[in-house]
Amino acid sequence: VIGVVIGKTDVRSFPDRKNIGTERYTFNFTIRDSPTYFINVQSWGREEYIRSLSESFRVGDCVTIENPLIQSKEAEREEKFNPVTPSCYKLLLSENHSVVKTSSCYDTDTRLLSLLHLPVKDPQDYYSLGDIVANGQSLHGRVLNVLAAVMSVSK
């Protein structure tokens, strides 16, 4: 699978249920290879493997994923923490079988660069900050998609 990385989480750790006293590490990212299709990728493993993999690319890089495991996603559980994707599958990376290679999008396919700026949500499925301010009471308790722009960043 070749695509541009459009989102990425930080590395997290969890207690390993099989080996009490040890931790398993994970991080997720989302790749896109067309205007319509994008998929979440999940990786689990030892700290060294996960940190090294996470540091090997960033959002905007093109990646080639070889030998991922394809799994059905548990939509309700997984889409709480990852982008909602049009696929009913996710890719799972294995330290022993999968390989992720990075390359310049210019070397791979310049069309992939334009995918980086396309929204992943239907343009009719969001609220602006103005909508939220004006209708805040009626929106209380609902999960919303928000469209906003960062105006400034400071300490």
Side-chain angles (χ1 to χ4, degrees):
V1 177
I2 298 173
V4 62
V5 178
I6 62 170
K8 184 177 164 188
T9 66
D10 292 330
V11 171
R12 300 180 317 270
S13 66
F14 296 92
D16 189 337
R17 288 185 243 159
K18 293 179 183 173
N19 299 315
I20 305 302
T22 62
E23 305 243 324
R24 289 184 70 201
Y25 287 77
T26 185
F27 85 101
N28 300 335
F29 59 100
T30 306
I31 63 167
R32 183 176 221 160
D33 67 356
S34 74
T36 310
Y37 296 105
F38 47 98
I39 193 165
N40 291 321
V41 183
Q42 188 174 48
S43 40
W44 286 89
R46 297 175 303 112
E47 180 177 14
E48 301 81 29
Y49 167 70
I50 294 299
R51 289 200 186 280
S52 173
L53 181 59
S54 176
E55 292 168 3
S56 71
F57 62 88
R58 61 183 187 210
V59 171
D61 286 348
C62 290
V63 295
T64 301
I65 301 172
E66 297 175 0
N67 297 323
L69 179 64
I70 300 168
Q71 287 187 331
S72 296
K73 67 181 177 183
E74 299 170 40
E76 216 170 279
R77 188 174 133 232
E78 292 180 30
E79 290 179 345
K80 277 185 182 176
F81 307 106
N82 295 304
V84 176
T85 63
S87 172
C88 55
Y89 301 101
K90 66 179 179 182
L91 302 180
L92 184 64
L93 300 181
S94 158
E95 183 173 1
N96 297 325
H97 299 98
S98 306
V99 176
V100 177
K101 298 176 184 173
T102 59
S103 61
S104 163
C105 284
Y106 291 109
D107 295 341
T108 310
D109 188 342
T110 54
R111 289 175 295 169
L112 290 175
L113 279 178
S114 64
L115 302 176
L116 190 57
H117 304 290
L118 292 178
V120 294
K121 288 287 188 181
D122 179 338
Q124 306 304 315
D125 187 27
Y126 66 83
Y127 286 83
S128 69
L129 294 177
D131 293 339
I132 294 169
V133 169
N135 303 303
Q137 283 299 96
S138 64
L139 300 173
H140 181 73
R142 291 184 54 199
V143 175
L144 305 174
N145 295 315
V146 177
L147 177 64
V150 176
M151 292 178 59
S152 68
V153 177
S154 61
K155 288 186 177 183

